Amino acid sequence: MNNKTNYEYLLSDLSILKGVGKKTKNLLKKKNINTLFDLLWRLPKSSIDRSLSSKLKDLKIGDTQTVTVIPRKYNFPRVRKLPNRVSCIDDTGEIDCIFFNSYEGYIKKILPLGKEITISGKIGYFRNKYQITNPKYISENSALIKKVHNKYSLTDGVSEKIYNKILNQIISNLPNFSEWHSENIMSKFQNISWNSSIKELHKTENIGNYKSNFYQRLAFDEIFSTFLVNSEIRKKIKKVKKKNKQINIKKQNSIIENLNFSLTIDQKKSLNEINKDLGSSNKMFRLLQGDVGSGKTIVSLLAALNTINSGFQVAFMAPTEILARQHFNLAKKIFTHNLNLELISGKSEYKKKKEILLKLATNKIDIIFGTHAIFQKKVIFKKLGLIIIDEQHKFGVSQRKKLSDKGGIDCDVLLMTATPIPRTLTMTIYGDMDISIIREKPKNRKPIKTYSKLEAKIDDVLKYINKEIKLGNQIFWVCPLIEESKKLDHTSAVKKFEFLKKKFPNQVSLLHGKTNLEEKNLILNNFLKNKFKILVSTTIIEVGIDFPNANVIVIENANKFGLSQLHQLRGRVGRGDKDSTCILMFKSNLSENAKKRIKILKASNDGFLISEEDMKLRGFGDILGFKQSGIKNFKLADPIHNNDLFLLAEKEMRRIEKANEDIGKFKPLIKLYDRADIINDIV
Ligand code: ADP
Ligand code: MG
């Protein structure tokens, strides 16, 4: 292992192994296998037993068998297409080895006349004689062949033999690490070491043995390393000393008193947590997590107020302009005293933009609202004290970390998301932040009634809509795709728009991915002003827009959406105090799975619970598009089946945090398992 440390050896390039040339290396690279460590997670799928050898007289045609024979005669025909042949014997009979496309020199080398050679392969029978065609397992050393050979799902061009050869080299040279886990944790896995666990993992008889101690230990390693890295990032950000903000409770309360509702307990609790962070001399890096419509915006605006009171500025970023404008309008409404609020929009004139930039640079703006444009290089703040970011659950850990660096030392960071995730995943996905959760919905919310309807019964739906429109209400009609695609059999928004327009003249508008930004803003604003009644769209309308007058949502082809997504779509209605309805439409009779999903949606309006169910039905990775966010996929661990390991890892991590334990001993673990890009400056 030269001078490399144990983990460095495992992170070496595959080419240090015997039998890995450029070709094999490149083939494996295509599968994202670059290091020895990467290869360890390709598990055997099955095995083939080549350990028992037979005498030639006992061979079974069609079986894979191992024989030890003596090559007696070469037959190399000079005619192309005819194979080369080596006739071999043992003391009971005769067998031919047949080679297509192998050179004479090579054949002579692997099957020298008169020497005892062990061969394994599938036994054929041709012209009254046994034969093995293109045998891959040939050796003078019978021990190399007479054993159980693992089968892997192979990368094209890498043979099973080569695969086993390189893997065996790694496994027989596995470094021994000093144990990184505490005694308590180790006792849960019967003290099996990492090294032994890997060895067990690759034993054929252990295929699929998910409950075994070695499997669980390795899954735990993986989960724990992720949590640990996240925890270190969090600690590191919090260590940054900042100038603390002065919380003016009186001022805050005067705003709260003027609202036409009272804050929920969870809103108050979250606000207190945020205020505590703002008032401390450590940098805040906090996530405010709460279901659609749970009222995060008001909480964040009150945090903004407290920041401004200390002479700082606030940047409030939303994913789209319309959402930024909505927040801006709300702020103007609730902050009746003299605050300087501005909205920077793509439409703002050059002169206006320049003026805003100048004002920001001289601290003449208290809160600036906008899209990511407010973080462009040319935007300079005089005294930025808080960054609020709405609906950015798809930001990955590295993106968030960059963000926290951006605002400078005195700048706190508050992220908001309306994407509840299963409890087990919280540490995996958001473990680098402190988290405040709003679980409770405002009291005036009525549950959204959810129904399912076959498309054939669309007339019932139209009748219902007609009635709602007469009452002055508005309707969302969601279709999965932009244009009709025969292959995908999706309902087309365009077609539906044409259809509904005939039924409800001058009452329908259409929004889809190809609608340009200006038009989109115009349509949404008109919908907000109740200028038309039905908005047909694909799923592009972002979570978060408040249309209090819309109380019906029709979702076509509901089968195409996951549970969490349906719940989020549904959350576009039911924000005011009206009765609201969600109609899920289906093309054909419901499958058992679909029935199960609808039952869950009908029974619950709790995004957290629904996300748990969604994960159970669809598996991790697929839910809510977290894949795009750089959330890594686990190699062995599975949030559904290893729920207990996730909880155990969290508990252990909290213990280590609390005891302020040195994490130096975890260095190999973190280096091996984790994302070098974000951990370089941690261990
Ligand atoms: P989200 O958490 O999805 O961002 P919003 O902040 O947009 O939710 O709030 C949704 C709606 O609920 C807004 O119209 C807001 O004014 C209202 N709201 C917020 N808090 C309460 C509350 N405690 N009681 C009643 N309505 C509330
Ligand atoms: Mg929101």
Side-chain angles (χ1 to χ4, degrees):
M1 273 177 233
N2 311 329
N3 291 325
K4 288 183 174 178
T5 60
N6 287 341
Y7 68 81
E8 278 170 345
Y9 163 73
L10 280 176
L11 293 175
S12 308
D13 192 281
L14 286 173
S15 53
I16 67 161
L17 296 174
K18 267 188 234 143
V20 180
K22 236 195 185 131
K23 192 176 138 232
T24 306
K25 191 178 140 176
N26 285 334
L27 288 168
L28 290 170
K29 197 174 174 170
K30 276 192 202 145
K31 295 271 167 184
N32 252 331
I33 300 175
N34 298 304
T35 67
L36 312 197
F37 185 76
D38 293 339
L39 209 63
L40 290 178
W41 309 103
R42 299 276 295 199
L43 302 185
K45 295 269 177 274
S46 62
S47 66
I48 188 153
D49 188 351
R50 299 184 191 270
S51 62
L52 293 174
S53 70
S54 303
K55 286 295 181 189
L56 290 179
K57 73 173 170 47
D58 300 326
L59 288 181
K60 285 201 188 76
I61 296 162
D63 281 8
T64 295
Q65 294 194 282
T66 302
V67 292
T68 297
V69 295
I70 296 170
R72 204 188 51 169
K73 199 175 137 217
Y74 298 127
N75 180 356
F76 298 144
R78 300 291 159 210
V79 186
R80 255 162 52 99
K81 283 189 190 161
L82 279 186
N84 288 329
R85 180 186 306 266
V86 183
S87 113
C88 306
I89 51 161
D90 72 358
D91 50 4
T92 69
E94 200 177 350
I95 190 165
D96 276 357
C97 288
I98 312 289
F99 294 91
F100 289 92
N101 309 319
S102 287
Y103 294 109
E104 293 171 20
Y106 169 72
I107 294 172
K108 282 180 178 166
K109 202 173 127 201
I110 57 168
L111 287 173
L113 298 183
K115 273 221 161 147
E116 209 175 66
I117 307 287
T118 300
I119 303 172
S120 185
K122 197 168 166 186
I123 308 298
Y125 198 71
F126 189 66
R127 289 195 181 143
N128 292 325
K129 224 186 201 176
Y130 291 118
Q131 65 175 35
I132 297 185
T133 306
N134 292 332
K136 288 200 190 88
Y137 290 84
I138 300 180
S139 179
E140 287 181 39
N141 180 354
S142 67
L144 285 182
I145 295 188
K146 288 188 186 175
K147 57 184 184 184
V148 176
H149 294 257
N150 284 346
K151 282 177 102 91
Y152 294 86
S153 53
L154 292 176
T155 307
D156 282 343
V158 182
S159 74
E160 191 176 300
K161 193 171 149 191
I162 291 182
Y163 216 87
N164 274 303
K165 189 171 162 189
I166 54 184
L167 202 66
N168 286 337
Q169 285 176 67
I170 305 174
I171 295 200
S172 53
N173 284 313
L174 275 184
N176 279 310
F177 293 104
S178 327
E179 184 53 59
W180 44 69
H181 289 307
S182 64
E183 275 175 27
N184 174 40
I185 292 297
M186 285 307 288
S187 70
K188 311 244 188 241
F189 306 112
Q190 289 91 49
N191 296 312
I192 190 166
S193 68
W194 185 85
N195 177 311
S196 311
S197 298
I198 294 281
K199 284 182 180 154
E200 291 299 317
L201 188 67
H202 282 268
K203 282 186 185 161
T204 333
E205 66 265 30
N206 286 332
I207 293 173
N209 205 349
Y210 307 125
K211 288 278 165 228
S212 54
N213 58 346
F214 63 84
Y215 200 99
Q216 299 269 311
R217 187 232 143 97
L218 292 172
F220 183 83
D221 277 332
E222 218 183 334
I223 300 164
F224 191 66
S225 75
T226 303
F227 286 14
L228 207 57
V229 167
N230 282 345
S231 152
E232 283 306 301
I233 294 176
R234 179 157 31 88
K235 276 197 261 175
K236 203 169 165 175
I237 291 173
K238 271 169 82 172
K239 254 187 223 148
V240 176
K241 288 281 169 218
K242 69 159 198 241
K243 196 166 177 315
N244 63 321
K245 277 121 206 169
Q246 307 291 333
I247 310 297
N248 186 335
I249 290 292
K250 227 170 143 186
K251 224 171 189 175
Q252 176 184 294
N253 287 346
S254 77
I255 302 284
I256 295 174
E257 274 156 28
N258 276 326
L259 296 172
N260 51 9
F261 51 77
S262 48
L263 295 183
T264 62
I265 294 172
D266 280 354
Q267 280 175 314
K268 283 184 202 156
K269 202 172 126 246
S270 299
L271 183 59
N272 282 342
E273 286 164 356
I274 294 166
N275 280 344
K276 214 169 143 203
D277 282 358
L278 292 173
S280 96
S281 53
N282 296 317
K283 199 174 169 109
M284 170 169 83
F285 194 46
R286 185 170 284 278
L287 177 75
L288 180 56
Q289 196 186 12
D291 214 343
V292 267
S294 59
K296 297 181 290 293
T297 324
I298 183 72
V299 173
S300 68
L301 286 176
L302 291 168
L305 175 77
N306 290 327
T307 305
I308 299 163
N309 281 336
S310 309
F312 286 97
Q313 296 168 287
V314 177
F316 199 132
M317 180 178 121
T320 59
E321 225 168 278
I322 187 133
L323 212 48
R325 186 177 295 277
Q326 180 181 302
H327 297 328
F328 172 59
N329 288 336
L330 179 64
K332 277 198 297 196
K333 208 170 97 189
I334 64 167
F335 297 139
T336 44
H337 55 298
N338 286 332
L339 286 189
N340 296 309
L341 310 175
E342 279 291 354
L343 174 76
I344 205 166
S345 115
K347 268 194 301 188
S348 314
E349 288 163 27
Y350 176 74
K351 213 176 125 202
K352 169 88 178 159
K353 272 187 195 155
K354 221 173 138 187
E355 190 191 309
I356 291 178
L357 289 182
L358 188 70
K359 279 169 139 184
L360 280 173
T362 51
N363 200 1
K364 293 208 174 84
I365 292 177
D366 297 315
I367 314 180
I368 179 84
F369 294 84
T371 59
H372 56 276
I374 57 177
F375 288 122
Q376 282 169 353
K377 265 211 187 93
K378 61 176 182 202
V379 184
I380 295 160
F381 294 84
K382 171 87 181 181
K383 219 179 156 197
L384 188 59
L386 174 64
I387 298 176
I388 299 171
I389 298 187
D390 193 20
E391 299 302 350
Q392 285 300 354
H393 71 280
K394 282 177 186 165
F395 272 8
V397 173
S398 349
Q399 275 166 304
R400 290 198 292 257
K401 191 163 173 292
K402 273 193 202 120
L403 200 77
S404 84
D405 296 339
K406 197 157 194 155
I409 292 178
D410 287 332
C411 184
D412 291 307
V413 180
L414 179 67
L415 283 104
M416 297 196 282
T417 171
T419 305
I421 54 166
R423 169 80 183 79
T424 34
L425 291 181
T426 309
M427 278 294 128
T428 312
I429 295 178
Y430 298 130
D432 55 327
M433 291 178 283
D434 289 313
I435 304 180
S436 294
I437 297 181
I438 306 183
R439 245 198 124 117
E440 179 195 14
K441 299 256 163 70
K443 294 214 169 44
N444 61 350
R445 293 296 140 80
K446 294 188 178 159
I448 304 165
K449 292 206 184 76
T450 303
Y451 302 101
S452 47
K453 256 297 173 225
L454 280 180
E455 244 163 61
K457 301 240 168 131
I458 191 166
D459 283 346
D460 294 354
V461 179
L462 296 177
K463 238 186 255 165
Y464 182 80
I465 285 179
N466 197 22
K467 199 182 81 198
E468 289 294 320
I469 291 177
K470 287 215 169 107
L471 291 171
N473 296 329
Q474 290 172 286
I475 286 102
F476 286 108
W477 193 298
V478 182
C479 308
L481 257 195
I482 309 176
E483 272 148 10
E484 191 81 7
S485 148
K486 284 205 175 66
K487 256 193 223 152
L488 291 167
D489 189 34
H490 278 168
T491 315
S492 132
V494 179
K495 242 173 124 181
K496 192 57 56 168
F497 167 66
E498 299 294 340
F499 171 81
L500 289 170
K501 215 166 59 172
K502 282 186 201 127
K503 309 266 174 192
F504 303 93
N506 304 318
Q507 303 277 35
V508 195
S509 280
L510 171 68
L511 259 192
H512 55 58
K514 288 182 183 165
T515 315
N516 73 42
L517 197 72
E518 221 164 288
E519 208 182 325
K520 180 179 160 187
N521 285 338
L522 187 72
I523 292 174
L524 289 176
N525 275 323
N526 283 340
F527 194 53
L528 206 57
K529 290 181 190 150
N530 202 354
K531 285 192 177 164
F532 63 94
K533 300 296 177 187
I534 306 175
L535 179 60
V536 178
S537 77
T538 52
T539 55
I540 55 163
I541 310 173
E542 40 287 312
V543 187
I545 306 185
D546 217 3
F547 295 98
N549 199 47
N551 71 332
V552 179
I553 183 163
V554 179
I555 304 173
E556 278 201 42
N557 230 343
N559 250 337
K560 300 280 174 201
F561 300 103
L563 270 186
S564 300
Q565 212 182 353
L566 287 174
H567 172 69
Q568 282 207 329
L569 288 171
R570 176 170 73 172
R572 281 180 201 165
V573 299
R575 289 177 161 234
D577 44 17
K578 293 183 192 181
D579 279 323
S580 349
T581 311
C582 168
I583 302 172
L584 304 171
M585 303 215 14
F586 294 86
K587 274 196 176 316
S588 52
N589 285 331
L590 298 181
S591 65
E592 279 311 306
N593 197 336
K595 278 185 195 157
K596 224 189 254 171
R597 286 153 31 112
I598 292 171
K599 206 171 149 199
I600 295 164
L601 282 173
K602 280 185 181 175
S604 172
N605 198 27
D606 177 346
F608 287 92
L609 189 142
I610 289 170
S611 75
E612 300 273 352
E613 297 298 328
D614 195 20
M615 186 170 78
K616 277 186 215 152
L617 288 171
R618 287 204 294 168
F620 168 59
D622 226 22
I623 55 166
L624 301 167
F626 275 108
K627 261 182 190 158
Q628 305 134 18
S629 63
I631 301 296
K632 62 174 201 164
N633 270 325
F634 291 110
K635 302 173 211 301
L636 303 183
D638 174 335
I640 303 165
H641 297 107
N642 303 128
N643 188 41
D644 51 338
L645 296 181
F646 279 80
L647 297 180
L648 180 65
E650 184 176 344
K651 211 168 138 199
E652 175 71 353
M653 192 201 72
R654 297 277 183 228
R655 184 191 67 74
I656 289 174
E657 274 179 4
K658 211 167 163 195
N660 212 356
E661 221 171 86
D662 179 36
I663 63 153
K665 62 177 181 163
F666 293 108
K667 188 169 176 174
L669 176 75
I670 295 177
K671 287 283 184 188
L672 284 175
Y673 282 85
D674 261 287
R675 302 145 292 186
D677 55 329
I678 51 171
I679 58 167
N680 276 341
D681 49 347
I682 292 174
V683 281

